[in-house]
Amino acid sequence: MNRRLPHPARLLLRAACTLLALALLYLLAAAALGCVRLNTARPPVAESRITIYLLSNGLHTDIVMPLSNEWLDWRSLLGPQSASLAATHIAIGWGERAFYLETPTWAQARASTALKAISGLGRATLHITYLPHAPPVTAHSPALPITPAEYLKLAQGIRPDFQTAPNGLARPIPASAYGETDAFYEAHGRYSLLSTCNTWTNARLRQAGLPAVAWTPFAQPLLQAWQAARADAATVNR
């Protein structure tokens, strides 16, 4: 004699199976699309006069660029604080506002904050870290020489993500910085499982014609794409 599970138990089992299937589909899509490299053809090294970096802690990515050069000065957007610091570069990252502000380190992460972040209900923010020098080139901070045209295209993709005041300056979030060398700004968009910090980084790189992948919510495929681009460039220029 077959004994069926009570109706509430069957519903819970179906819900669990559905969630498991969705999680597997998500990971499979990330794995497959994260292997599809885009913008693999690079301009000649002689034309690549600006160096940018991809900075990662293994989970999150920032784009590191010069604070100012002859083509662009980010201080005209970021306001007075950016002009008062002895910085040569900025690291820009996008993410869910509450998680960013309440989690200065991963040791302080809370499940409730993370769940809210992936729900798509929270607002986004842009985090700027002012660096006194370019980061050292490592596996988690690869460098990429780019052309001025690529750099301006990258900046044109990033700037609209800032919410701006009537005077044209980015809108800072008061009393939100981790320290004296960073700042948070109001941003457009909402964070979700389909639109993560790394998805944002990848989209901005892809739009600028820089090494990227088809889609990824994770940092590792981006690091691998940049490392592959550097290896390709080294082979071409031998």
Side-chain angles (χ1 to χ4, degrees), residues 36-41 202 206 209-215 225:
V36 180
R37 290 174 55 201
L38 304 177
N39 304 326
T40 55
N202 186 61
R206 184 182 67 244
L210 299 172
V213 297
W215 177 79

Side-chain angles (χ1 to χ4, degrees):
M1 177 178 171
N2 293 328
R3 298 185 62 184
R4 299 183 64 187
L5 290 172
H7 184 64
R10 292 200 304 274
L11 290 178
L12 287 174
L13 180 60
R14 288 175 184 171
C17 290
T18 300
L19 289 175
L20 179 60
L22 289 173
L24 289 174
L25 180 62
Y26 182 83
L27 294 175
L28 286 172
L33 296 175
C35 291
V36 180
R37 290 174 55 201
L38 304 177
N39 304 326
T40 55
R42 301 292 305 130
V45 171
E47 298 178 12
S48 302
R49 301 163 62 186
I50 303 167
T51 300
I52 64 171
Y53 304 80
L54 189 65
L55 188 61
S56 175
N57 60 9
L59 297 174
H60 171 85
T61 50
D62 285 343
I63 300 172
V64 178
M65 300 171 286
L67 175 61
S68 64
N69 57 23
E70 61 183 285
W71 296 281
L72 180 67
D73 189 342
W74 285 99
R75 293 172 296 190
S76 63
L77 172 69
L78 299 176
Q81 178 187 1
S82 62
S84 65
L85 296 171
T88 63
H89 290 73
I90 54 170
I92 300 184
W94 179 94
E96 201 275 332
R97 178 181 170 129
F99 189 87
Y100 239 147
L101 297 182
E102 297 172 19
T103 315
T105 66
W106 286 102
Q108 296 169 277
R110 294 183 300 171
S112 59
T113 308
L115 288 172
K116 180 182 177 182
I118 64 176
S119 70
L121 298 176
R123 291 181 290 169
T125 185
L126 281 156
H127 184 226
I128 309 297
T129 305
Y130 296 94
L131 306 176
H133 49 72
V137 177
T138 69
H140 283 85
S141 56
L144 183 72
I146 65 174
T147 68
E150 289 175 326
Y151 183 55
L152 291 174
K153 196 170 182 180
L154 176 62
Q156 288 166 1
I158 292 173
R159 288 179 70 99
D161 289 324
F162 285 90
Q163 292 187 24
T164 54
N167 62 4
L169 294 178
R171 294 176 53 201
I173 301 175
S176 60
Y178 297 152
E180 296 181 354
T181 58
D182 74 301
F184 284 96
Y185 293 86
E186 300 285 3
H188 296 288
R190 290 188 179 275
Y191 188 101
S192 72
L193 280 172
L194 297 178
S195 182
T196 71
C197 54
N198 301 307
T199 306
W200 178 86
T201 299
N202 186 61
R204 297 298 161 268
L205 296 172
R206 184 182 67 244
Q207 291 167 359
L210 299 172
V213 297
W215 177 79
T216 181
F218 304 123
Q220 195 59 32
L222 283 171
L223 293 170
Q224 292 171 345
W226 274 44
Q227 289 158 2
R230 286 183 62 83
D232 292 347
T235 300
V236 169
N237 291 288
R238 279 178 184 171

